[in-house]
Amino acid sequence: MAVAPILSDDAAGAEALAVFDDIRAKRQTDYVNNFWRALAADPALLKATWDRLQVVMGPGSLDPLVKEMIYIAVSVTNGCSYCIHSHTAAAKAKGMTAAQHGELMAVIAMASQTNALATALQVPVDSRFLAEEERG
Amino acid sequence: MAVAPILSDDAAGAEALAVFDDIRAKRQTDYVNNFWRALAADPALLKATWDRLQVVMGPGSLDPLVKEMIYIAVSVTNGCSYCIHSHTAAAKAKGMTAAQHGELMAVIAMASQTNALATALQVPVDSRFLAEEERG
Amino acid sequence: MAVAPILSDDAAGAEALAVFDDIRAKRQTDYVNNFWRALAADPALLKATWDRLQVVMGPGSLDPLVKEMIYIAVSVTNGCSYCIHSHTAAAKAKGMTAAQHGELMAVIAMASQTNALATALQVPVDSRFLAEEERG
Amino acid sequence: MAVAPILSDDAAGAEALAVFDDIRAKRQTDYVNNFWRALAADPALLKATWDRLQVVMGPGSLDPLVKEMIYIAVSVTNGCSYCIHSHTAAAKAKGMTAAQHGELMAVIAMASQTNALATALQVPVDSRFLAEEERG
Amino acid sequence: MAVAPILSDDAAGAEALAVFDDIRAKRQTDYVNNFWRALAADPALLKATWDRLQVVMGPGSLDPLVKEMIYIAVSVTNGCSYCIHSHTAAAKAKGMTAAQHGELMAVIAMASQTNALATALQVPVDSRFLAEEERG
Amino acid sequence: MAVAPILSDDAAGAEALAVFDDIRAKRQTDYVNNFWRALAADPALLKATWDRLQVVMGPGSLDPLVKEMIYIAVSVTNGCSYCIHSHTAAAKAKGMTAAQHGELMAVIAMASQTNALATALQVPVDSRFLAEEERG
């Protein structure tokens, strides 16, 4: 009756196990966290999610730690307890300092309150923010 | 009957006008955007919000552009149209490139979908993410 | 292709028209606002929503203006532009002063930011808030 | 100090007990789940909620399992842990297969990410989606 | 300064244009809606989103119309105006009747209110909903 | 690896301890709840949040209990479990009766459902709600 089982390696099918192995190889760890084990009930969804995550969080024009902090900001606003835990851990593993964590909290709190104020007052967007609506 | 008037300099009281002047001085511009003009109906709230914003978005351990991107991530997740417009403009003014904007979009989208999956499956937080619950 | 038509009296069916008439009678006005006209495409949903609203917002232990302010708080947090407009108008019609509106904004903004902080830090609920979990 | 007591049959008043009995009769079970027992502190709210639920989830033009899946989609997006658990259980009881559950997850995840993208980019609604704004 | 330009075929790069052509081919229409044209500024994100959408919304164990209704439920709860418009249009194109639309509205409204109640009362999940927490 | 430690008086630095002492003095209690102890890792954020809370929730034109109920409404809609617990406790301490709590629940539930309906149907704001868009 639980929403989803947390599948062990033994319980996972071959397709899911291949993803678990890829997670272990890419992350250089033996540990596969619960999120992936819960997704394993649907191996195609598991694989699509993992593959996409690699692309999105991989090398690019944004620093990996910055990406984790953006991930945390979204997860906090969505109220996803699991994701806040896992990505805060990931950010710390990537070097987030206590000072940076504090500033991240402060920015999230600030945005949350001005979001509420702008919405509550139904402030119209300034024309200069709308300008140059290019239609190629 | 409108939710809030967008106060011109002439319509704003002395306390609000002082904040407008501070905004112009700090930002080195003549332009005061609608958010502040809508808040001006309550000068104390206007001043508290502006003063706090200066502290939070001011110099610290996170890059100013990174702070803007975190602000955008929260604003998108809260669906605040005004804030998305104003902070995307601010991020571009601080040098956000098209490639960085694209990656920001991709991370927000990725987090949104894994947030939904972790919540939908009610994945229990791994004990290793909960460990060391220090009580000083 | 619009999501929902805004039905005029002529376009509304008999069942919807009866609700429109009840709205006019109870509110002592000729005006039926768009929300009800959009719901009129499904007269049973229209009637159930209107009937329930009368019960919930009717006389009780909370002041009618307080109920409107609670309604606004929920609508702001959900980002419902229509509802923010209509219930702010209703609150003003029930006597909400500019000072009260300002304080309402400030409380909503404060709650939004501490909600974000408590969630971001995943603060465990104090045992004293959980005590007396009565099972009658 | 708990937010709400979970009332046993003995602790519930006569009006709440009558609703409990109706729940048992309609669902053909002895079990009344915590949601209703928490609502029992306000018997009028309990009864209104239960009565409305019967109408909404009762026979109509949508399949009962489809209604449960829509209910889950809303509950996930609102982050309501209780509701996700109870309605996933209800969906399984109504025959939701593992494959259907997986597809439900995938659609929710997909919508979550495109919602975020459309909001982040503030995409203007195509005129063809707005056309035929009928005013009866 | 607009958040994102809506790229015409002429303004889109080759990679984006290839996706536009695929959209036209798969949907058997000349029309490419604004969502895709806004994403075209980041062709890789455009392609990944479109490719994934095809898989998720493609043939499976859930009816295509059911998938659209689930999509609408998520979009409404997230308050994504663009997505509500586009997916309501898609659902109508796939045969959603007025009666089905009305029931969809009613289920979304019902879930929204019981989500709020379960959260407001912090109802603990019944042990029977948590049982069988399988760990493979 | 926990998201944030809950700092005891001994573990808190001098700046945080001063805030703890102020909390104890203003609230006339020995107890400092977990929210403040979690914030103590960033004393500046702790102090700014506590100072602002005092202003916002202090004497004004809205009754203190009304402010707590508005706070609860926001917290429920944001799904902040910690805040729902702490502010429901605060509201009870300020005299919220069972009847008032029931009505608060009912208004929150009502707003949640009409928010969903207005959003789902994308109801256009009535011109009379938009009128008098004053520009000082």
Side-chain angles (χ1 to χ4, degrees):
Chain A
M1 201 60 99
V3 173
I6 304 300
L7 295 181
S8 67
D9 280 20
D10 288 346
E15 195 182 344
L17 202 54
V19 176
F20 288 178
D21 285 342
D22 194 44
I23 291 172
R24 282 187 271 249
K26 296 268 173 53
R27 290 184 167 172
Q28 294 179 283
T29 172
D30 273 350
Y31 192 72
V32 175
N33 55 307
N34 288 346
F35 178 71
W36 305 110
R37 294 187 180 282
L39 272 178
D42 186 329
L45 179 58
L46 166 66
K47 183 168 166 43
T49 307
W50 169 250
D51 286 352
R52 182 66 186 150
L53 188 73
Q54 294 308 101
V55 173
V56 172
M57 300 302 275
S61 60
L62 294 180
D63 182 80
L65 176 52
V66 168
K67 288 187 180 180
E68 287 294 348
M69 290 192 292
I70 292 165
Y71 219 110
I72 291 169
V74 173
S75 302
V76 167
T77 313
N78 275 329
C80 180
S81 177
Y82 185 88
C83 313
I84 294 165
H85 276 100
S86 63
H87 287 277
T88 301
K92 288 179 180 174
K94 285 177 182 164
M96 180 173 69
T97 65
Q100 289 173 321
H101 194 203
E103 284 193 36
L104 171 61
M105 296 296 101
V107 175
I108 292 173
M110 190 76 218
S112 299
Q113 73 169 299
T114 59
N115 284 186
L117 289 171
T119 298
L121 296 170
Q122 292 287 296
V123 184
V125 180
D126 301 67
S127 54
R128 67 171 54 192
F129 296 149
L130 293 167
E132 290 162 62
E133 197 100 312
E134 305 158 57
R135 213 170 221 290
Chain B
M1 201 59 100
V3 173
I6 303 299
L7 295 181
S8 67
D9 280 20
D10 289 345
E15 196 183 343
L17 202 54
V19 176
F20 288 178
D21 285 342
D22 194 45
I23 291 172
R24 281 188 272 249
K26 295 268 172 54
R27 291 186 166 170
Q28 295 179 282
T29 172
D30 273 350
Y31 192 73
V32 175
N33 56 305
N34 288 346
F35 177 70
W36 306 110
R37 294 186 179 282
L39 273 177
D42 186 329
L45 180 58
L46 166 66
K47 182 167 167 44
T49 307
W50 168 250
D51 285 352
R52 182 66 187 150
L53 187 74
Q54 294 308 102
V55 174
V56 172
M57 301 302 276
S61 61
L62 293 180
D63 182 81
L65 176 53
V66 168
K67 288 188 181 180
E68 287 295 347
M69 290 193 291
I70 292 165
Y71 219 110
I72 291 170
V74 173
S75 302
V76 166
T77 314
N78 274 329
C80 180
S81 177
Y82 185 87
C83 313
I84 294 165
H85 275 99
S86 63
H87 287 277
T88 301
K92 288 179 180 175
K94 285 177 183 163
M96 180 174 69
T97 64
Q100 288 174 321
H101 193 204
E103 283 192 36
L104 172 60
M105 296 296 101
V107 175
I108 291 173
M110 190 74 218
S112 299
Q113 73 169 299
T114 60
N115 283 187
L117 288 170
T119 297
L121 296 170
Q122 291 287 296
V123 184
V125 179
D126 301 67
S127 55
R128 68 170 54 193
F129 296 149
L130 292 168
E132 290 162 64
E133 196 100 312
E134 306 158 56
R135 214 170 220 289
Chain C
M1 199 60 98
V3 173
I6 304 299
L7 295 182
S8 66
D9 280 20
D10 288 346
E15 197 183 341
L17 202 55
V19 176
F20 289 179
D21 286 341
D22 194 44
I23 290 172
R24 281 189 271 249
K26 295 268 173 53
R27 290 185 166 170
Q28 294 179 282
T29 172
D30 272 351
Y31 191 73
V32 175
N33 56 306
N34 288 347
F35 178 69
W36 306 110
R37 293 187 179 283
L39 273 178
D42 186 329
L45 180 57
L46 165 66
K47 183 168 167 41
T49 307
W50 168 250
D51 286 351
R52 181 67 186 149
L53 187 74
Q54 295 308 101
V55 173
V56 172
M57 301 302 275
S61 59
L62 293 180
D63 181 82
L65 176 53
V66 169
K67 288 187 180 180
E68 287 294 348
M69 290 193 291
I70 293 165
Y71 219 109
I72 291 169
V74 173
S75 302
V76 167
T77 314
N78 274 329
C80 179
S81 177
Y82 185 88
C83 313
I84 293 165
H85 275 98
S86 62
H87 287 277
T88 301
K92 288 179 181 174
K94 285 178 182 163
M96 181 173 70
T97 65
Q100 288 174 322
H101 193 202
E103 284 192 36
L104 172 61
M105 296 296 101
V107 175
I108 292 172
M110 190 76 217
S112 299
Q113 74 169 298
T114 60
N115 284 186
L117 289 170
T119 298
L121 296 169
Q122 291 287 297
V123 184
V125 179
D126 300 67
S127 55
R128 67 172 53 192
F129 295 150
L130 292 167
E132 291 161 64
E133 196 101 312
E134 306 157 56
R135 215 170 219 288
Chain D
M1 199 60 98
V3 174
I6 304 300
L7 296 181
S8 67
D9 280 20
D10 288 345
E15 197 182 342
L17 202 55
V19 176
F20 288 179
D21 286 342
D22 194 45
I23 291 172
R24 281 189 271 250
K26 294 269 172 53
R27 290 184 167 173
Q28 295 178 283
T29 172
D30 273 350
Y31 192 73
V32 175
N33 56 306
N34 288 346
F35 178 70
W36 306 109
R37 294 186 180 283
L39 273 178
D42 186 328
L45 181 57
L46 166 66
K47 183 167 165 45
T49 308
W50 168 249
D51 286 351
R52 182 65 186 151
L53 188 74
Q54 293 308 102
V55 173
V56 172
M57 301 302 275
S61 61
L62 293 181
D63 181 81
L65 176 53
V66 169
K67 288 187 180 180
E68 288 294 347
M69 290 192 292
I70 293 165
Y71 219 110
I72 291 169
V74 173
S75 303
V76 167
T77 313
N78 275 329
C80 180
S81 178
Y82 186 88
C83 313
I84 294 166
H85 275 99
S86 63
H87 287 278
T88 302
K92 287 179 181 174
K94 285 177 182 162
M96 180 174 68
T97 65
Q100 288 174 322
H101 194 203
E103 285 192 35
L104 171 61
M105 297 296 101
V107 175
I108 292 172
M110 191 75 218
S112 299
Q113 74 168 299
T114 59
N115 283 186
L117 289 170
T119 298
L121 296 169
Q122 292 286 297
V123 184
V125 179
D126 302 67
S127 54
R128 67 171 55 193
F129 296 149
L130 292 168
E132 291 162 64
E133 197 102 310
E134 305 158 56
R135 215 169 219 287
Chain E
M1 199 60 98
V3 174
I6 304 299
L7 295 181
S8 67
D9 279 20
D10 288 346
E15 197 183 342
L17 202 54
V19 176
F20 289 179
D21 286 341
D22 194 44
I23 290 172
R24 281 188 271 250
K26 294 268 171 55
R27 291 186 165 170
Q28 295 178 282
T29 172
D30 273 350
Y31 192 72
V32 175
N33 54 306
N34 288 347
F35 178 71
W36 305 109
R37 294 187 179 282
L39 273 178
D42 186 328
L45 180 58
L46 166 66
K47 182 167 166 45
T49 307
W50 168 250
D51 285 352
R52 182 66 186 151
L53 187 74
Q54 294 308 101
V55 173
V56 172
M57 301 302 275
S61 60
L62 293 180
D63 182 81
L65 175 53
V66 168
K67 288 187 180 179
E68 288 294 348
M69 290 192 292
I70 293 165
Y71 220 111
I72 291 169
V74 173
S75 303
V76 166
T77 313
N78 275 328
C80 180
S81 177
Y82 185 87
C83 313
I84 294 165
H85 275 98
S86 63
H87 287 277
T88 301
K92 287 179 181 175
K94 285 177 183 163
M96 181 174 68
T97 64
Q100 288 174 321
H101 193 204
E103 284 192 36
L104 171 61
M105 295 297 100
V107 175
I108 291 172
M110 190 76 218
S112 299
Q113 73 168 299
T114 59
N115 283 187
L117 289 170
T119 298
L121 296 169
Q122 292 286 296
V123 184
V125 179
D126 301 67
S127 55
R128 68 171 53 192
F129 295 149
L130 293 167
E132 291 162 63
E133 197 100 309
E134 306 158 58
R135 216 169 219 288
Chain F
M1 201 58 99
V3 173
I6 303 299
L7 295 182
S8 68
D9 281 18
D10 288 346
E15 196 183 343
L17 203 54
V19 176
F20 288 179
D21 286 341
D22 194 45
I23 291 172
R24 281 188 272 249
K26 294 268 172 54
R27 290 184 167 171
Q28 295 179 280
T29 173
D30 273 350
Y31 191 73
V32 175
N33 56 306
N34 288 346
F35 178 70
W36 306 110
R37 294 187 180 282
L39 274 178
D42 186 329
L45 180 58
L46 167 66
K47 184 167 164 44
T49 307
W50 168 250
D51 286 352
R52 181 67 187 150
L53 188 74
Q54 294 308 102
V55 173
V56 172
M57 301 302 276
S61 60
L62 293 180
D63 182 80
L65 176 52
V66 168
K67 288 187 181 181
E68 287 294 348
M69 291 192 291
I70 293 165
Y71 219 110
I72 291 170
V74 173
S75 303
V76 166
T77 313
N78 274 330
C80 180
S81 177
Y82 185 87
C83 313
I84 294 165
H85 275 99
S86 63
H87 287 278
T88 301
K92 287 179 181 175
K94 285 178 183 162
M96 181 174 68
T97 65
Q100 288 174 321
H101 193 203
E103 284 191 36
L104 172 61
M105 296 297 101
V107 175
I108 292 172
M110 190 75 217
S112 299
Q113 73 168 300
T114 59
N115 283 186
L117 289 170
T119 298
L121 296 169
Q122 292 286 296
V123 184
V125 179
D126 301 67
S127 55
R128 66 171 55 192
F129 296 149
L130 292 167
E132 291 161 63
E133 197 100 312
E134 306 158 57
R135 215 170 219 288

